[in-house]
Amino acid sequence: MFKPLAMQYATIFLVSEDVAAASLALAESEAFNPQARDESEALPERPGEDYRALYESARGRLSKVLSYLQVESESEPKSSWRRPISEAELARTDERLGEIWRECSTCQQREQRTREQRRELEQLERVLEKYEALDIDLGLLHGGLQFLDLHIGSVAQRDVARLREAVGIIGYNLTVFMSLDSTAYVVVSGLKGAEHELRTVLNAASFRHLELPSQFRDRPTELRKDLDIRRQRINADEEMLRRQLGQARRVHGPFLREATETLALAAPYAQLAETLQGRGALVRISGWVPEDREKQLRASLAARLAGRFAVESRPPRSEEQDQVPTLVRYPWLFRPFAALVNNYGVPRYGELDPTWLFAITFVLMFGTMFGDIGQGLTISALGLIFRSRLKRFALFFVLAGLSSAGFGVIYGSVFGSEQIVHPLWMSPLSDPQRMLTLAVYWGAALILLATALTIYNRIVQHELIRAFLGGRGVAGAVLYVGLLLAAHRWMTDGPWSSGEQLLVFVPLILVAGYQWHRHKGGIGERIMVTLIETVETVISYLANTLSFLRIAAFSLNHVILAITVFTLADMMGAFGHWVVVILGNIFIIVLEGAIVGIQVLRLEYYEGFSRFFGGDGRPFRPLVVGLSPAQGR
Amino acid sequence: MIAAAAKHGYLDTRITLLAQRLLSNEALRRLVDTPVEQQRELLDRARLPISARSGSGTALLEPQSVGALLEEAMIILRPLRSAARGLLHHWLRRFELINLKTILRGKIAGWSPEAVQGALVDLGGFGVLPVDELSRTEDLLELLRVLERYYTPEMVRRARDSYEETRDLFVLEAVLDRQYFSQLQRRVGKLDRAQRQYVQPMTDRLLDQINLVWLLRYRFAYGFEPPHAYFLLGPGGEHMDAHTVLELVRLESTGEVLEKLPPAMRLRLGEVTSTSDIETRLEQDRLQVARTTLRYTRFNLGRALAYLMLREFQLGRIHIAVRGEYLRLAPAFVARAAGLAPGPTDVQARGG
């Protein structure tokens, strides 16, 4: 719970024809995190590369086809017996998926064309509507003219100016006669003789010729008929495409579900491919396994491979520390908090996992800032009522609410009223200064605890000088205690003894010395950096401590909000009084509750985690059967 | 001045510090002559964590240099807002355009998705295109359909039509380039005048360079008709404005075009006549403007753009120098390839 589980580096030797079965065995055990291979001269071959390439290709095709045909399929195989997928079978699946995708891609291309045709038709209708009433015989324009070369069509609005200049080079004119959306309808005209040059530039500009019905001017009814025929043709095309899609769904559906299962079973081998090394028939698989799951892993391999394998395991070497994945098992009580910690980052292997500290301090800080029996119990009740929606976070709400109710007993507050229960300690507003002092104690305790964890983590990572002399090491912690004592003396006008002065100046010199030692460069730059970093260490301790004053501020704010609600309620009649009290409490629970939650999270992340927790560890990602790689569990 | 200093003080300090990473031409030249094992010191001075001896030969050089450039760009972008940020962000999207062209070439050449992805530059947070999805498309039409989500339908349609008409990849690339440079020009236009006066001389020279070089290629290498060539060119720069380009595009030979260039452009080009030399000369001219902006002006966005231009150019030279040394090519040849020693040289491999 406090530290990631101990890991073993496992190396599995087996024959190449058993790799598919071995990958399934490893995936079924859910206890093996493959490790990318390092270069080895003894095992120069990469036996899984072809398999992986096939898998990637098939996976990509399957995903496109499923999405296009809107076929639902399970990402994990249904059948209980999981058979290994050979490379030949994977190749067949990939080939078939390729054929289906080509079919779908053609349909997609036709859909796009049909969409464009419909858009053009609609625009043409609008053009014709506008020009129908004019006395212009556009019908003449597509007839053969002896000297004049004339083209009517559309281009993108943004290309008009450029195209006009371009056709001007060969003596053509371009006139815009209508603009719709981003399309311009233009007439390009010029003397015959440069048709070839014109054609190349019109093509480059993606010029679309308008297909004008010959009856345009004289017979509007005929014209409508012509456009209707075109529309019907487009409708028919779309209908045919829809039918084809439906048919494709029916015809290919069973195969696609089968292919999904095949790929789900092939996924472990494909994932393993990155780690496989071999020579001839011999293959080596390397990765990490939790120490307490090693037996299970061996048993799983034995069940599939009947003894045709060898496993060697050893603890991680010191130079491998940054490669070892982190796996922490949490008691059920801490699971919702683990999700929030993982949101910040994953602890490195060997580091202390901060979830327990986060869980305890989060719940206590929330209660301190939002202490109320009624509102706290309401939050807990809401967590229970909506547990199916909130899932694992339901517990989070229940615990935060109970803490709030607990502090409500201490503060003597029930739904904002301080008249119902006598406080076990005091109401925050009765002595704000004491609340502020409490908040500083909170901050100092949490910062010292966080610094202690930093020191531990650095010792674990063999960064001893940093652990003892760094700003967030032993020297930094002593400096902080010295500063707190100095501040206390200053505020109480007490004497600052020489021993207490040493508590500030000795660690300060050590921290500065460490900064000097750490930074290389010119003498001026070194002096500057040392000075800034040392001052920053002192300031950040003070600023971080002051940041915790928000604990007091929000506890006071909570009471003041309640007083405001009751003052407003007292201004109403009997009915209005209760309406205001109820609405005010809802407002406090929803809005202030959320704000307090965010503030606590902020204090945890920035004043707590950022001190001792890099969060740059690698999560344990076991090999699993299925199309989506599972997260560390 | 005080207002500019207050507004761009942080940026200016950052650029001044970053500018110390730029190596002089002599240092670059020395890099060419230095054996791989001893290049470390110079590369450290340029703050480049690149090495040809990292176990993977020179394969990682390009991604490492682009990665270094993008990291610096992140620092530069941080204090910038709105139009200034948009301009530099767009400038960096050139790498995405390069990636897109690589994907297009890979599709046409029938590369596997893995091969395509291996040839791409990792842009981190700068890229918006789904390179994985694009590289896994099975043909060009499918790729263009995916692109439609990121570019205007008209542009993608034009790219598709152009490709279907000519089956030439460079036409497709020309469409993408034109869109990119038009947007660049628009973004420069959105800057306030105080900033534009420093930025525009560099972007205008870039547009001049692009327009002249591609005009010559379209007209005399690919044999395009004048209207077609004109249409494919980008927006005008300082001297190669629409009117001039219209005149030049009608001419029938490179010599005629060079003769009719505006006097200032002719002066910049000197006696060079080949398209590649013209490109090199104009690039040098643009970089000279960038150097002047970086050295003699203060508190403006132009310095940031100038630094990015110079750094990118220099990374390219370092890349050539390191790779040349790794391949044991003759230093004189490498120097010429890197544009550090003009003039013909003997091309001799040192063997080994």
Side-chain angles (χ1 to χ4, degrees), chain B residues 220-240:
Chain B
F220 311 119
Y222 304 142
F224 284 6
E225 299 294 346
H228 190 186
Y230 178 79
F231 184 78
L232 290 177
L233 290 173
E238 186 185 4
H239 299 294
M240 297 290 286

mmCIF file of all heavy atoms in Angstrom, chain B residues 220-240:
data_model
loop_
_atom_site.group_PDB
_atom_site.id
_atom_site.type_symbol
_atom_site.label_atom_id
_atom_site.label_comp_id
_atom_site.label_asym_id
_atom_site.label_seq_id
_atom_site.Cartn_x
_atom_site.Cartn_y
_atom_site.Cartn_z
ATOM 1 N N PHE B 220 10.450 26.274 -67.046
ATOM 2 C CA PHE B 220 11.504 25.736 -67.903
ATOM 3 C C PHE B 220 11.939 24.317 -67.560
ATOM 4 O O PHE B 220 12.574 23.661 -68.368
ATOM 5 C CB PHE B 220 12.703 26.703 -67.905
ATOM 6 C CG PHE B 220 12.271 28.119 -68.164
ATOM 7 C CD1 PHE B 220 12.487 29.126 -67.236
ATOM 8 C CD2 PHE B 220 11.567 28.435 -69.326
ATOM 9 C CE1 PHE B 220 12.047 30.417 -67.454
ATOM 10 C CE2 PHE B 220 11.115 29.733 -69.544
ATOM 11 C CZ PHE B 220 11.357 30.725 -68.624
ATOM 12 N N ALA B 221 11.612 23.839 -66.359
ATOM 13 C CA ALA B 221 11.921 22.438 -66.061
ATOM 14 C C ALA B 221 10.708 21.559 -66.357
ATOM 15 O O ALA B 221 10.824 20.502 -66.965
ATOM 16 C CB ALA B 221 12.334 22.293 -64.607
ATOM 17 N N TYR B 222 9.529 22.027 -65.944
ATOM 18 C CA TYR B 222 8.328 21.211 -66.169
ATOM 19 C C TYR B 222 7.572 21.616 -67.435
ATOM 20 O O TYR B 222 6.638 20.913 -67.839
ATOM 21 C CB TYR B 222 7.381 21.324 -64.973
ATOM 22 C CG TYR B 222 8.005 20.949 -63.648
ATOM 23 C CD1 TYR B 222 7.699 21.639 -62.494
ATOM 24 C CD2 TYR B 222 8.905 19.885 -63.554
ATOM 25 C CE1 TYR B 222 8.275 21.303 -61.277
ATOM 26 C CE2 TYR B 222 9.485 19.550 -62.349
ATOM 27 C CZ TYR B 222 9.177 20.263 -61.210
ATOM 28 O OH TYR B 222 9.742 19.924 -60.008
ATOM 29 N N GLY B 223 7.925 22.733 -68.036
ATOM 30 C CA GLY B 223 7.309 23.163 -69.292
ATOM 31 C C GLY B 223 5.851 23.579 -69.172
ATOM 32 O O GLY B 223 5.061 23.380 -70.108
ATOM 33 N N PHE B 224 5.470 24.155 -68.051
ATOM 34 C CA PHE B 224 4.085 24.614 -67.897
ATOM 35 C C PHE B 224 3.842 25.861 -68.728
ATOM 36 O O PHE B 224 4.740 26.685 -68.903
ATOM 37 C CB PHE B 224 3.792 24.955 -66.436
ATOM 38 C CG PHE B 224 3.582 23.759 -65.548
ATOM 39 C CD1 PHE B 224 3.780 22.464 -66.015
ATOM 40 C CD2 PHE B 224 3.172 23.924 -64.235
ATOM 41 C CE1 PHE B 224 3.589 21.377 -65.208
ATOM 42 C CE2 PHE B 224 2.973 22.839 -63.415
ATOM 43 C CZ PHE B 224 3.192 21.558 -63.902
ATOM 44 N N GLU B 225 2.586 25.998 -69.182
ATOM 45 C CA GLU B 225 2.200 27.217 -69.898
ATOM 46 C C GLU B 225 2.193 28.378 -68.907
ATOM 47 O O GLU B 225 1.956 28.169 -67.701
ATOM 48 C CB GLU B 225 0.788 27.050 -70.484
ATOM 49 C CG GLU B 225 0.644 25.913 -71.476
ATOM 50 C CD GLU B 225 1.436 26.129 -72.752
ATOM 51 O OE1 GLU B 225 1.896 27.258 -72.995
ATOM 52 O OE2 GLU B 225 1.615 25.156 -73.498
ATOM 53 N N PRO B 226 2.389 29.616 -69.397
ATOM 54 C CA PRO B 226 2.448 30.756 -68.478
ATOM 55 C C PRO B 226 1.255 30.873 -67.522
ATOM 56 O O PRO B 226 1.460 31.049 -66.308
ATOM 57 C CB PRO B 226 2.547 31.964 -69.410
ATOM 58 C CG PRO B 226 3.180 31.429 -70.636
ATOM 59 C CD PRO B 226 2.704 30.009 -70.782
ATOM 60 N N PRO B 227 -0.005 30.740 -68.003
ATOM 61 C CA PRO B 227 -1.109 30.908 -67.033
ATOM 62 C C PRO B 227 -1.072 29.853 -65.928
ATOM 63 O O PRO B 227 -1.316 30.145 -64.769
ATOM 64 C CB PRO B 227 -2.372 30.735 -67.884
ATOM 65 C CG PRO B 227 -1.950 30.810 -69.287
ATOM 66 C CD PRO B 227 -0.511 30.460 -69.358
ATOM 67 N N HIS B 228 -0.745 28.632 -66.324
ATOM 68 C CA HIS B 228 -0.710 27.530 -65.363
ATOM 69 C C HIS B 228 0.370 27.788 -64.308
ATOM 70 O O HIS B 228 0.130 27.678 -63.098
ATOM 71 C CB HIS B 228 -0.436 26.224 -66.118
ATOM 72 C CG HIS B 228 -0.623 24.998 -65.275
ATOM 73 N ND1 HIS B 228 -0.314 23.747 -65.715
ATOM 74 C CD2 HIS B 228 -1.084 24.840 -64.019
ATOM 75 C CE1 HIS B 228 -0.581 22.872 -64.771
ATOM 76 N NE2 HIS B 228 -1.050 23.519 -63.723
ATOM 77 N N ALA B 229 1.567 28.150 -64.786
ATOM 78 C CA ALA B 229 2.680 28.419 -63.867
ATOM 79 C C ALA B 229 2.313 29.578 -62.938
ATOM 80 O O ALA B 229 2.532 29.507 -61.720
ATOM 81 C CB ALA B 229 3.942 28.763 -64.651
ATOM 82 N N TYR B 230 1.735 30.611 -63.490
ATOM 83 C CA TYR B 230 1.385 31.783 -62.684
ATOM 84 C C TYR B 230 0.384 31.405 -61.590
ATOM 85 O O TYR B 230 0.515 31.801 -60.434
ATOM 86 C CB TYR B 230 0.786 32.885 -63.566
ATOM 87 C CG TYR B 230 0.357 34.093 -62.769
ATOM 88 C CD1 TYR B 230 1.295 35.026 -62.340
ATOM 89 C CD2 TYR B 230 -0.972 34.291 -62.418
ATOM 90 C CE1 TYR B 230 0.917 36.115 -61.572
ATOM 91 C CE2 TYR B 230 -1.358 35.374 -61.651
ATOM 92 C CZ TYR B 230 -0.418 36.287 -61.237
ATOM 93 O OH TYR B 230 -0.793 37.351 -60.477
ATOM 94 N N PHE B 231 -0.590 30.602 -61.997
ATOM 95 C CA PHE B 231 -1.636 30.240 -61.038
ATOM 96 C C PHE B 231 -1.074 29.447 -59.857
ATOM 97 O O PHE B 231 -1.520 29.588 -58.724
ATOM 98 C CB PHE B 231 -2.741 29.437 -61.733
ATOM 99 C CG PHE B 231 -3.880 29.126 -60.804
ATOM 100 C CD1 PHE B 231 -4.821 30.096 -60.486
ATOM 101 C CD2 PHE B 231 -3.999 27.879 -60.211
ATOM 102 C CE1 PHE B 231 -5.844 29.837 -59.597
ATOM 103 C CE2 PHE B 231 -5.025 27.604 -59.321
ATOM 104 C CZ PHE B 231 -5.954 28.594 -59.027
ATOM 105 N N LEU B 232 -0.067 28.608 -60.134
ATOM 106 C CA LEU B 232 0.460 27.756 -59.065
ATOM 107 C C LEU B 232 1.387 28.495 -58.101
ATOM 108 O O LEU B 232 1.664 28.005 -57.004
ATOM 109 C CB LEU B 232 1.222 26.565 -59.664
ATOM 110 C CG LEU B 232 0.381 25.519 -60.375
ATOM 111 C CD1 LEU B 232 1.268 24.443 -60.970
ATOM 112 C CD2 LEU B 232 -0.633 24.882 -59.430
ATOM 113 N N LEU B 233 1.885 29.671 -58.527
ATOM 114 C CA LEU B 233 2.837 30.381 -57.663
ATOM 115 C C LEU B 233 2.145 30.991 -56.449
ATOM 116 O O LEU B 233 0.935 31.202 -56.446
ATOM 117 C CB LEU B 233 3.553 31.473 -58.461
ATOM 118 C CG LEU B 233 4.528 30.937 -59.515
ATOM 119 C CD1 LEU B 233 5.066 32.065 -60.369
ATOM 120 C CD2 LEU B 233 5.673 30.168 -58.853
ATOM 121 N N GLY B 234 2.971 31.287 -55.430
ATOM 122 C CA GLY B 234 2.432 31.820 -54.189
ATOM 123 C C GLY B 234 2.185 33.318 -54.272
ATOM 124 O O GLY B 234 2.365 33.924 -55.334
ATOM 125 N N PRO B 235 1.802 33.908 -53.143
ATOM 126 C CA PRO B 235 1.563 35.356 -53.137
ATOM 127 C C PRO B 235 2.877 36.117 -53.309
ATOM 128 O O PRO B 235 3.953 35.573 -53.074
ATOM 129 C CB PRO B 235 0.988 35.595 -51.735
ATOM 130 C CG PRO B 235 1.512 34.478 -50.909
ATOM 131 C CD PRO B 235 1.657 33.305 -51.809
ATOM 132 N N GLY B 236 2.761 37.367 -53.729
ATOM 133 C CA GLY B 236 3.958 38.145 -54.047
ATOM 134 C C GLY B 236 4.729 38.591 -52.829
ATOM 135 O O GLY B 236 4.173 38.767 -51.749
ATOM 136 N N GLY B 237 6.056 38.786 -53.019
ATOM 137 C CA GLY B 237 6.897 39.273 -51.932
ATOM 138 C C GLY B 237 7.233 40.740 -52.150
ATOM 139 O O GLY B 237 6.367 41.517 -52.591
ATOM 140 N N GLU B 238 8.492 41.107 -51.893
ATOM 141 C CA GLU B 238 8.880 42.508 -51.998
ATOM 142 C C GLU B 238 9.039 42.927 -53.461
ATOM 143 O O GLU B 238 8.523 43.955 -53.887
ATOM 144 C CB GLU B 238 10.195 42.711 -51.236
ATOM 145 C CG GLU B 238 10.629 44.162 -51.165
ATOM 146 C CD GLU B 238 11.993 44.307 -50.498
ATOM 147 O OE1 GLU B 238 12.612 43.277 -50.175
ATOM 148 O OE2 GLU B 238 12.432 45.448 -50.328
ATOM 149 N N HIS B 239 9.762 42.118 -54.215
ATOM 150 C CA HIS B 239 10.018 42.476 -55.615
ATOM 151 C C HIS B 239 9.218 41.625 -56.598
ATOM 152 O O HIS B 239 8.868 42.077 -57.674
ATOM 153 C CB HIS B 239 11.513 42.326 -55.928
ATOM 154 C CG HIS B 239 12.342 43.238 -55.084
ATOM 155 N ND1 HIS B 239 12.288 44.608 -55.183
ATOM 156 C CD2 HIS B 239 13.216 42.976 -54.088
ATOM 157 C CE1 HIS B 239 13.115 45.151 -54.299
ATOM 158 N NE2 HIS B 239 13.685 44.174 -53.613
ATOM 159 N N MET B 240 8.968 40.387 -56.210
ATOM 160 C CA MET B 240 8.237 39.492 -57.116
ATOM 161 C C MET B 240 6.738 39.642 -56.866
ATOM 162 O O MET B 240 6.052 38.698 -56.482
ATOM 163 C CB MET B 240 8.673 38.048 -56.876
ATOM 164 C CG MET B 240 10.129 37.779 -57.174
ATOM 165 S SD MET B 240 10.490 37.832 -58.940
ATOM 166 C CE MET B 240 9.759 36.304 -59.462
#
